Amino acid sequence: MHLCFVKRGLLFLVVICFWGQILLSQGVPVGQWRSHLPLNETHSIAILGDEVIAASSYGLLRYDLVNDVLSDFTKVNGLGGIGITAIEASPNSKELLIGYEDGLLELWSENNIIQIPDIFASGRYPGKSRINSISFNGENNAFVATGFGVVELDLIYGVVKGTYILSQDGSTIETFDIEIDSDSLFVSSERGFWSASLMDPLYLFSNWKQDQRWIDTAINEISVSENSCLVSTKQNESVWFKNNGAWSKINLNNSSGNKIKSIRKQENGYVISRDFDVVITNELCVQKQTYSSAMGNNDNFKPLDATIHDNGTIWIANSSKGLTFINNFDYAQHRTITSPPYSSVFDLDYSDHGIDVFSGAIDPTWTASYCNQGVFTFRDENWSVLNSLELNQAKDILSKVINPNDTSHWFVSSWGKGVLEFKNGMLDSIWNSNNSTLMDALGSTPSDVRVGGMLWGNDNALWVTNALSNKPLHRYDPQTKSWKSFGLGSFNGLSIKQIIQSNDDIFWIQSRTDGLLAVVIDEDNSSYRRLTTGINNGNLPSSSVNSFVFERDNELWIGTLDGLVVCFNPYDAISGGNIDAQALLVEENGIVQKVLSGENILSIAVDGANRKWIGTADGGLFLLSPDGLKTIAHFTKSNSPIFSNRVNSLAIDDESGELFIGTSRGLLSYRSNAIEPFLNLNKIQVFPNPYEPKHFGPISLKGLTEDSYVKVTNSSGRLVFEGPATGGQFSWTTNGLNGTPVPSGIYLFWITNPLGTETKVVQGVIIRGE
């Protein structure tokens, strides 16, 4: 053991290094959330002091100009949600006003977020509350262009000060852009270009003036300065300039028909962002410089907004590469954050390759959506993409299976193109109805081979389901490259998808509306039994099974359209015994209720402590105790960072215990306090160690055996905390038995397995702030 003492004032900081203990640096601390969103799809730009802020629909990218550091800020960090549509920096460059698609507004600064929910909460203009543009009128007042008109904000009190509809009869008119020049307000709308004096009551329609040149013309972007004005029309994307009262069309070499994305007034001119370039003009709108994908290092340039810093650097919200800046005429530089390329999450899976995200989707009727976004994989804190080109344009990729004997050999399934086999990262074979036993979907077009579920069987072969086929189950032997098909009785011709295999070699197959099928394959014969509704038939509350999983005690947990049930003896499926599923019953206030009764269960995951994570269609995410009788946690979009109450899919990283949550609005994760238990106590890790003031959450031990018990003492041997492990992990909040934080010092963790036959002592250091 080596002890290193560093004096800092009166506090001695201790760093301990010892055999068997490793500083765990991967991922996030236990109890923490993080988002996995396509934040590089930016659309708006703002300069806030020493930071450049780029907004995507999903959150903010923050670039520190001083330290050259890019970070993200999302709902996980405190934003009100996702769906950002507009941002604008305050005149003092200390605050950012953020607008959302649902009408929510937030005044954001480094240390505070003030929500202005009036538009969103009122529900007065359903479907028309989107914030399209923002303009400050001093530090304490702002105007926003919305889908129904103009809204004035009082930023001191964080409330709506006034709502102004640009029609005499009170009917809504969508406004797109808004600017203030001197004492006048200018607004573009679907019915023209409007202005009003800020000295007049804006609630009086008579005080609004419509430019006669643009009556009933949709005006998109505007920029106003003194006696000049620049506008773009929404229909044909032409640009017009008004100078000294006269309008003239501006030639911006727009032969390619580039659409105007934004117009910004800058000192001595304008910055115009178009589909594929950024144009700089002088104050008379004469083109001076154009930046396009023809520049060095600027392929696939897609600018949506741009501004010029005081030092002359051009900053661009580049929807293909995050944040782009140009400080010379020949070369573009980009700042991106590691993230998935899309927000779509149809399904999730954990494997030796990492967390796989399947964006390909089928709709509620299990019809193809023809999504070609591919598969995204999160491993070692980085994202990689298996794209449509590598998939030979196969769409709707729904699952992936790795050969456990050779992790460079793996398969993906396509709902329409069959099975794709990969070797050493390259596509080796495409298996379909032309070269295998797989069959085209009944009643569909030729070559429509729908494969949804796959697994590597206990017999060392690949098993796949084939929807709408008279032979729905197929076996592929990769050694001989031979295929074999099997009929499934009443499941022949049905739409089937997910497949799992229990320890007793029974296959369990999901249908769309006909329950589950238990199947045993014996040579050329198969035995099967169906679970559906009704006593002695499976007793499912609904024949629509969305998710099912075997937990650590080999119970079959089934999530249906109408609640959660458990089959406690699934091993009797083929022998003829009773396999009716049972609802879990709990008593609350003297009333017996079914656990999650009536909930549409979409996903189930079992963690290392045999607890059940349950994702629902509109009730959020539940964490149940191992027996399901206690709700340990219930996360919704109103009490947690999850983006939507619809949780489509779940997957757990067995190594870290991090739960990945696929919602209808994107992917996020939560590092729980449970991991798979270890076989012995030889690889215990303490993290974070040392535990410093910068750390939040608990200090944790990883590498414990199942049901281990931990006692925490100080260096003098005094007990300060104790408790059981959760699976293979133990977490301590660093509070003592009395509930208050323990002081700085060295702490010993005394670990004992359930039988008391194995013990271990490891150490950790806690450093408190002064």
Side-chain angles (χ1 to χ4, degrees):
M1 183 182 296
H2 301 279
L3 301 181
C4 305
F5 296 90
V6 181
K7 188 172 182 180
R8 188 177 296 173
L10 298 177
L11 182 65
F12 288 89
L13 305 183
V14 184
V15 178
I16 298 180
C17 305
F18 58 91
W19 175 85
Q21 183 168 315
I22 303 169
L23 176 63
L24 187 68
S25 59
Q26 66 178 22
V28 293
V30 171
Q32 298 298 302
W33 299 79
R34 60 174 166 173
S35 60
H36 304 275
L37 295 166
L39 295 169
N40 296 317
E41 292 183 1
T42 56
H43 57 65
S44 302
I45 200 90
I47 297 176
L48 207 65
D50 290 330
E51 282 192 333
V52 178
I53 309 291
S56 71
S57 295
Y58 310 97
L60 305 176
L61 289 183
R62 305 173 57 188
Y63 181 62
D64 185 331
L65 293 168
V66 176
N67 299 304
D68 188 25
V69 173
L70 183 70
S71 60
D72 64 336
F73 199 92
T74 68
K75 187 183 179 187
V76 167
N77 308 103
L79 290 181
I82 59 177
I84 295 175
T85 53
I87 61 172
E88 187 70 20
S90 64
N92 64 8
S93 292
K94 293 182 179 180
E95 296 172 314
L96 189 75
L97 191 55
I98 306 169
Y100 292 82
E101 63 188 5
D102 59 8
L104 177 67
L105 287 147
E106 289 181 313
L107 190 62
W108 179 86
S109 63
E110 180 62 34
N111 300 312
N112 196 25
I113 299 177
I114 300 173
Q115 285 198 351
I116 307 175
D118 298 22
I119 299 174
F120 165 75
S122 73
R124 186 176 179 184
Y125 302 102
K128 297 182 178 182
S129 296
R130 173 189 169 97
I131 307 299
N132 291 323
S133 181
I134 300 168
S135 185
F136 276 86
N137 181 29
E139 301 295 337
N140 302 321
N141 189 257
F143 290 86
V144 296
T146 75
F148 57 84
V150 175
V151 171
E152 184 177 4
L153 305 175
D154 184 323
L155 299 179
I156 295 178
Y157 297 101
V159 297
V160 168
K161 186 176 180 180
T163 299
Y164 314 120
I165 306 299
L166 302 183
S167 66
Q168 196 159 9
D169 61 3
S171 59
T172 62
I173 293 178
E174 183 168 12
T175 55
F176 300 115
D177 200 1
I178 191 163
E179 285 214 3
I180 295 172
D181 182 59
S182 186
D183 61 352
S184 295
L185 182 67
F186 298 86
V187 180
S188 67
S189 77
E190 60 182 324
R191 295 187 190 173
F193 183 36
W194 300 76
S195 63
S197 170
L198 293 173
M199 302 296 104
D200 295 332
L202 297 180
Y203 59 85
L204 295 177
F205 177 73
S206 58
N207 288 327
W208 288 87
K209 306 295 186 293
Q210 188 175 22
D211 192 302
Q212 297 301 301
R213 173 65 180 81
W214 303 112
I215 289 180
D216 294 330
T217 300
I219 301 296
N220 191 18
E221 300 290 327
I222 61 173
S223 185
V224 181
S225 178
E226 297 180 353
N227 295 321
S228 62
C229 180
L230 191 64
V231 306
S232 67
T233 57
K234 198 169 180 66
Q235 289 89 342
N236 57 21
E237 299 297 337
S238 58
V239 181
W240 292 77
F241 183 60
K242 184 178 183 180
N243 190 33
N244 295 323
W247 288 99
S248 60
K249 191 173 182 179
I250 301 301
N251 179 17
L252 294 176
N253 298 323
N254 201 28
S255 59
S256 61
N258 284 349
K259 293 183 178 180
I260 306 297
K261 299 301 182 181
S262 74
I263 300 175
R264 284 181 178 263
K265 181 71 177 73
Q266 301 285 161
E267 187 176 359
N268 301 321
Y270 297 91
V271 180
I272 303 171
S273 302
R274 305 190 296 178
D275 274 338
F276 305 110
D277 61 15
V278 173
V279 178
I280 310 297
T281 77
N282 64 13
E283 64 272 13
L284 296 177
C285 212
V286 176
Q287 190 167 340
K288 295 167 53 181
Q289 185 69 39
T290 299
Y291 302 94
S292 69
S293 57
M295 299 182 64
N297 193 39
N298 207 30
D299 295 340
N300 302 315
F301 188 40
K302 296 179 181 178
L304 296 182
D305 192 15
T307 190
I308 301 177
H309 193 274
D310 292 341
N311 63 11
T313 300
I314 302 170
W315 291 93
I316 302 163
N318 185 348
S319 68
S320 66
K321 294 184 179 179
L323 185 59
T324 295
F325 68 95
I326 301 170
N327 52 18
N328 64 62
F329 294 139
D330 302 316
Y331 191 80
Q333 299 184 60
H334 312 284
R335 295 292 182 267
T336 59
I337 198 162
T338 180
S339 67
Y342 304 100
S343 63
S344 308
V345 185
F346 175 73
D347 204 358
L348 295 165
D349 186 46
Y350 172 73
S351 70
D352 290 339
H353 283 186
I355 293 289
D356 289 317
V357 180
F358 303 100
S359 60
I362 53 178
D363 69 16
T365 66
W366 289 20
T367 300
S369 65
Y370 304 103
C371 173
N372 64 351
Q373 295 175 351
V375 181
F376 330 136
T377 301
F378 187 65
R379 183 181 185 184
D380 297 331
E381 298 302 305
N382 286 298
W383 285 94
S384 60
V385 181
L386 184 65
N387 60 40
S388 61
L389 182 62
E390 295 168 296
L391 292 165
N392 198 42
Q393 305 300 325
K395 298 177 175 62
D396 296 319
I397 306 300
L398 301 186
S399 63
K400 177 179 174 182
V401 168
I402 298 173
N403 181 344
N405 305 311
D406 178 6
T407 57
S408 68
H409 181 210
W410 41 277
F411 306 81
V412 298
S413 68
S414 167
W415 196 261
K417 296 298 181 182
V419 174
L420 284 69
E421 182 176 5
F422 287 79
K423 293 181 178 179
N424 298 314
M426 302 295 293
L427 180 61
D428 181 76
S429 302
I430 300 177
W431 301 103
N432 51 41
S433 58
N434 296 323
N435 60 359
S436 73
T437 58
L438 295 170
M439 297 180 177
D440 295 338
L442 295 171
S444 186
T445 58
S447 301
D448 180 12
V449 181
R450 304 182 184 184
V451 176
M454 301 192 301
L455 63 81
W456 194 264
N458 297 338
D459 60 346
N460 219 29
L462 181 74
W463 292 81
V464 304
T465 59
N466 187 190
L468 299 178
S469 164
N470 285 325
K471 294 290 184 71
L473 182 61
H474 299 256
R475 180 185 186 273
Y476 171 62
D477 185 341
Q479 297 297 322
T480 62
K481 287 187 173 292
S482 60
W483 285 81
K484 192 171 185 178
S485 60
F486 302 88
L488 297 179
S490 62
F491 265 39
N492 290 346
L494 294 183
S495 195
I496 62 174
K497 186 161 60 71
Q498 185 182 1
I499 178 174
I500 59 178
Q501 188 176 25
S502 58
N503 293 335
D504 54 2
D505 293 335
I506 298 177
F507 293 106
W508 294 82
I509 299 173
Q510 165 201 31
S511 73
R512 187 173 73 84
T513 57
D514 292 87
L516 290 175
L517 190 71
V519 182
V520 170
I521 304 297
D522 183 13
E523 296 296 336
D524 294 326
N525 300 314
S526 57
S527 302
Y528 35 80
R529 186 174 178 186
R530 181 176 157 196
L531 277 74
T532 184
T533 56
I535 302 296
N536 298 323
N537 288 320
N539 198 34
L540 300 180
S542 168
S543 58
S544 294
V545 175
N546 298 320
S547 183
F548 60 108
V549 64
F550 279 93
E551 45 94 90
R552 295 177 62 84
D553 293 328
N554 292 319
E555 298 170 356
L556 180 61
W557 287 57
I558 304 169
T560 77
L561 182 69
D562 189 23
L564 175 72
V565 290
V566 180
C567 181
F568 292 101
N569 50 341
Y571 38 82
D572 286 339
I574 302 302
S575 65
N578 185 350
I579 56 170
D580 279 359
Q582 305 295 322
L584 300 171
L585 303 178
V586 293
E587 183 177 333
E588 293 184 11
N589 300 321
I591 301 175
V592 176
Q593 301 180 21
K594 296 179 180 179
V595 174
L596 300 182
S597 176
E599 291 282 359
N600 186 359
I601 310 295
L602 300 183
S603 50
I604 306 174
V606 180
D607 68 19
N610 206 24
R611 304 178 305 181
K612 282 71 178 183
W613 294 86
I614 311 291
T616 69
D618 53 21
L621 176 66
F622 293 83
L623 173 59
L624 304 183
S625 59
D627 60 8
L629 300 180
K630 180 181 178 182
T631 299
I632 299 171
H634 179 202
F635 300 114
T636 68
K637 67 178 183 179
S638 61
N639 71 3
S640 76
I642 68 171
F643 309 134
S644 164
N645 286 336
R646 184 179 181 90
V647 179
N648 293 321
S649 51
L650 297 167
I652 297 177
D653 183 335
D654 291 339
E655 291 292 320
S656 66
E658 189 167 10
L659 173 73
F660 286 76
I661 306 159
T663 77
S664 59
R665 302 297 300 273
L667 177 68
L668 75 162
S669 61
Y670 172 78
R671 187 162 184 178
S672 77
N673 61 350
I675 61 171
E676 291 287 325
F678 286 61
L679 297 177
N680 53 55
L681 300 175
N682 293 337
K683 295 183 179 180
I684 297 176
Q685 301 172 0
V686 182
F687 64 98
N689 193 22
Y691 184 94
E692 300 178 287
K694 66 181 180 181
H695 292 125
F696 296 93
I699 186 170
S700 300
L701 275 64
K702 175 183 177 181
L704 309 184
T705 54
E706 190 164 9
D707 296 326
S708 290
Y709 198 82
V710 181
K711 291 177 179 285
V712 186
T713 70
N714 60 19
S715 58
S716 300
R718 180 181 178 184
L719 181 69
V720 296
F721 191 78
E722 62 181 319
T726 309
Q729 189 163 273
F730 168 82
S731 294
W732 173 40
T733 63
T734 74
N735 288 340
L737 293 172
N738 61 1
T740 61
V742 298
S744 299
I746 301 172
Y747 290 87
L748 303 178
F749 298 88
W750 304 78
I751 305 133
T752 307
N753 71 358
L755 298 178
T757 57
E758 188 177 12
T759 61
K760 186 76 69 173
V761 181
V762 295
Q763 304 182 53
V765 175
I766 294 178
I767 300 170
R768 299 297 189 191
E770 295 185 27

